[in-house]
Amino acid sequence: MGPNKFSREVITLTEFIIARQKDFPFAKGDLTSLLNDIAVAAKIVTREVRKAGLVDILGEVGAENIQGESQKKLDVYANEQFISALRHGGVACGVASEENDDFIGFDEQFYTGTTYVVAMDPLDGSSNIDVNVSIGTIFSIYRTLEPNRSASLEDFLQAGTELVAAGYVIYGSSTMLVYTTGRGVNGFTLDPSIGEFCLSHPDIKMPETGSIYSINEGNYKAFSEGVQHYLNWCKGIGEDAPEKPLTGRYIGSLVADFHRNLIKGGIYMYPPTKSAPKGKLRLLYECAPLAFIVEQAGGMATDGHRRIMEYTPRELHQRVPYFVGSKHLVEKAMEFLKQEAEAS
Ligand code: AHM
Ligand code: MG
């Protein structure tokens, strides 16, 4: 008898991370518990995201609902959910968020011998929140420099090479959680009927090359010549350009553009512009965690010249130019930027 569709084994995220715990010989289960806290908050945020289009029926943002609670903007809501899950989880001793100027160090009552801090963008893709387009959460997990105390700024200002785990949640046509602890990348899809993230994309590998380029090309005039030449190359213009041009795809939600390219092969870019010489994206909770994932999947992430993972942030909200994706496409972009640097 052939395989029957009912006999297929379902592995939930919780089962998977517990099973993987033994990969870390000294693990006490803290990281397992931390990832679980993030997954629970992601489910709660999913519930709110799925209701987002009903805001006109259920009440305006900022207005009070019938229970007398005020309706929150989704990004504020997501921020509060993740911080609260981490605070009460008892494993992290602090969080840095795109939504907060400063990091939040948890009070002692919330941790016991804690060893982790989390940096996150709780709801990325702000321009897409109100228009029913995919948005995401991105997170970085670092070990603190010392145990048994609340978080300090230095705990967050660590190079990507020090990341213990990183991941993202995409609130798309379904909700998915993708993460790495440095042993490959695995993706889990939320089954709304049982409320569990189930392993759907084991050991994700990014194609070495791809046919998609993702960039806000409205900024073309403001890009350097090297970037402009690379974009022309993507379109099949120039001497060694591919015969068949690449396909342009840009959602404007980093997580969604990144996720599609991870699966299909492609490159995402947010290069520097004349008015924003460091680009737009944030190193600590946008670029570095996705760099960890892409490298684990066989891709590359650079600022155009240098590996993103080797950057040590000097401040929480530091920006960095970003070229991330399939190895061959990122290497090609770097070639153009190198030529430009050598010519100047
Ligand atoms: P945000 O954190 O304010 O949402 O900004 C980050 C977003 C990314 O998700 C997206 O790739 C990029 O900004 C889009 O920027 P632009 O509108 O300049 O193309
Ligand atoms: Mg963001």
Side-chain angles (χ1 to χ4, degrees), residues 27 59 72 76 116 123 127 158 175 178 187 224 229 234 261 281 287:
K72 298 221 163 81
V76 177
Y116 298 105
L123 210 55
S127 65
Q158 300 192 57
T175 296
V178 176
S224 73
H229 289 155
C234 291
N261 293 356
L281 300 180
C287 301

Side-chain angles (χ1 to χ4, degrees), residues 98-118:
E98 181 176 303
E99 294 286 329
N100 302 102
D101 289 343
D102 216 343
F103 71 91
I104 298 165
F106 296 154
D107 292 341
E108 259 170 66
Q109 68 188 93
F110 291 113
Y111 61 85
T112 42
T114 310
T115 42
Y116 298 105
V117 290
V118 179

Side-chain angles (χ1 to χ4, degrees), residues 262-295:
L262 180 71
I263 305 293
K264 292 192 166 182
I267 181 170
Y268 171 98
M269 295 162 268
Y270 213 108
T273 59
K274 282 164 199 150
S275 60
K278 293 195 169 141
K280 174 183 183 188
L281 300 180
R282 316 292 184 143
L283 174 59
L284 190 57
Y285 44 78
E286 292 178 331
C287 301
L290 298 184
F292 191 21
I293 290 175
V294 90
E295 287 193 0

